[in-house]
Amino acid sequence: MPHIRKQIRDRVASVLTTGASLAQRRVYASRVYPLTESQLPAIAVYSASESSGLQTMGVRTLMRELSLSVEVYVRVNEKFDDDIDALCVQIEEAIAADYTLNGLVKDTILTSTEIDFDGEAERPVGVARLTYTIRYVTTIGDVETAR
């Protein structure tokens, strides 16, 4: 069975594939995916960092906090801010409707949103990064399943 972080990324990508219809099912559970203008808008889901701490002494469980990034890419035009905001609404609503990610985690909380554009591509691309803090518990030695 894959690491719990992969299960979390895959679940978020699945939720967004159906819940963020403006991305037209272009949701990738990876930070590295070559996007062309014809593939926009698109969403990338990836793990950024994780912290953990001992929760109990007897069973040796860890409370983990995963920082998960959801990046939105859209074409830059006169309404790219509106396009990004519309996709962000769909993302936020889809994840809020499944904040335990089908029981994989205890909670999923949106902690920040950054909006910018990348002018270094062949054509400028608008980018929003939604950062979620995801809390879950694992038993030491068993990082494939969460409680």
Side-chain angles (χ1 to χ4, degrees), residues 74-75 77-86 115-116:
V74 300
R75 289 178 193 87
N77 56 36
E78 65 279 350
K79 61 182 188 84
F80 97 89
D81 282 313
D82 296 339
D83 293 344
I84 281 183
D85 286 342
I115 301 170
D116 204 351

Side-chain angles (χ1 to χ4, degrees), residues 90-106:
Q90 289 187 340
I91 291 166
E92 291 175 30
E93 288 177 349
I95 292 175
D98 187 11
Y99 67 92
T100 67
L101 303 178
N102 202 34
L104 282 173
V105 303
K106 300 286 185 191

